[in-house]
Amino acid sequence: MNTITARTVRTQVQRIAESTSDVDELLSAAGKVIRRAVPAEGWCGFTLDPDMLVKTAGVHEAGLSPALFGHLATLEYRPGDSTRFVDLARTGRPAAILTDHRSSERFHEILKPSGYAHELRMVLLDQARAWGGFVFLREPASPPFTQTDSRFVTSLGRVLARGVRRSLLRSQTGAGSLSASPGLLLLDEGYQIVSMSAGTETLLAELVERGATQPLLPAVVYALAAAVSETAGSAPMAVRVPTRTRRWATFHAWRLDGPVRVGVSIGSRHSDKAGEAVLENHGLSPRERQITELVLRGRSTAQMADSLYLSPHTVRDHLKSIFAKTGVRSRHELVAVLLKP
């Protein structure tokens, strides 16, 4: 890898992460720039729910066929395959090259039939929480990915994680709610639609991923369905998902018995709870949420300390943690992004 190219790409990725407010645009721009230093014929980028480690949205401009997304999701949550994103995220491993071709179901059932021979995965980690990831793919005629490639994308992970987190915070706060009518999807064992309630198609249209070919269902549906189906003893799961119209949707999924294997509901998140949803997704503790609310009300450090029975020093420590978790640098910026119309 050319040193000058690597330095230029790193600078451009940092600029993209710090200045792009739309998360889809961020993933798309970053993926294209990274490929200048780490060439790849196929790639995709996506966001993850940091608590459930479920894919919530993505950009698939030059990757796998959407027809494979359901089976890929199954392999991601079925224990046993190599370099699953859930394993990388839980162990804090920021990048991995798929080398175990012989025993990898993903290689034999997804990558090889799609014309790819090499895979590099990247997890966007910050403070031990995963906010997204990238997959880079090479065809058989291209050289395998190297540890130099892996180390390079690792060096970009934290700034991109903070960029994704910041973009979600800026673009999804205070934008209103979805339709009041919830949606319901019933899926078979292949995650094909058995039936859905009236209005569900409209809700799903707000979550269709960005790419040359649109998948039949949004990534979050495949991911949730696979997670509740393939995880032993899995309880119903729920995630909040940012939509393309600057709103939040709440998805619940649960496993069923019989021909209908998975139920998925889609509900709205009321607009006055949008900021709360963002803060929850950014891992703020109950105390940090209290302090954030007081910041929004214009309280000084001394006033917050008095009302919460804390020392000013403790309040300042909480504020530093809040800034780090939400990706801002000051009270002014925190207020600006939370109250952005």
Side-chain angles (χ1 to χ4, degrees), residues 42-279:
W43 71 278
C44 70
F46 55 87
T47 55
L48 284 169
D49 180 285
D51 296 316
M52 308 304 295
L53 297 179
V54 166
K55 184 178 177 181
T56 55
V59 175
H60 298 269
E61 296 182 352
L64 301 172
S65 166
L68 296 172
F69 287 5
H71 187 47
L72 177 60
T74 295
L75 297 180
E76 286 291 344
Y77 291 96
R78 179 184 296 165
D81 211 344
S82 302
T83 61
R84 299 186 308 158
F85 274 108
V86 290
D87 296 327
L88 298 178
R90 287 169 180 162
T91 58
R93 189 177 174 189
I97 299 169
L98 179 62
T99 57
D100 188 12
H101 290 176
R102 180 174 299 179
S103 62
S104 171
E105 290 183 82
R106 186 172 73 254
F107 176 77
H108 289 288
E109 298 176 16
I110 302 292
L111 300 182
K112 189 175 181 180
S114 299
Y116 296 111
H118 313 291
E119 180 195 66
L120 170 63
R121 291 187 158 200
M122 171 187 184
V123 187
L124 309 185
L125 290 166
D126 183 40
Q127 298 181 344
R129 289 165 68 81
W131 294 93
F134 283 90
V135 179
F136 299 99
L137 303 169
R138 287 179 179 170
E139 297 171 353
S142 298
F145 291 104
T146 66
Q147 289 304 315
T148 298
D149 297 326
S150 180
R151 287 192 293 271
F152 179 73
V153 298
T154 293
S155 72
L156 306 176
R158 187 177 184 186
V159 68
L160 283 171
R162 292 186 171 185
V164 167
R165 191 177 62 184
R166 188 182 300 115
S167 294
L168 290 173
L169 183 63
R170 286 174 173 170
S171 66
Q172 300 297 327
T173 302
S177 59
L178 294 174
S179 166
S181 300
L184 176 64
L185 277 173
L186 298 179
L187 309 176
D188 64 17
E189 61 181 5
Y191 314 139
Q192 300 296 309
I193 298 173
V194 175
S195 64
M196 61 179 168
S197 62
T200 300
E201 190 171 0
T202 300
L203 294 173
L204 291 176
E206 297 205 35
L207 292 108
V208 171
E209 295 191 324
R210 175 174 175 169
T213 304
Q214 299 295 346
L216 298 176
L217 290 170
V220 64
V221 175
Y222 289 123
L224 276 173
V228 298
S229 297
E230 299 296 332
T231 306
S234 176
M237 300 180 69
V239 295
R240 283 180 294 270
V241 181
T243 72
R244 301 179 68 79
T245 52
R246 295 168 50 86
R247 298 176 173 89
W248 285 97
T250 301
F251 280 67
H252 291 82
W254 58 97
R255 185 164 48 194
L256 302 169
D257 295 324
V260 177
R261 299 300 298 274
V262 179
V264 179
S265 68
I266 311 166
S268 64
R269 183 86 181 184
H270 194 270
S271 59
D272 64 4
K273 295 293 185 180
E276 177 187 342
V278 174
L279 296 179

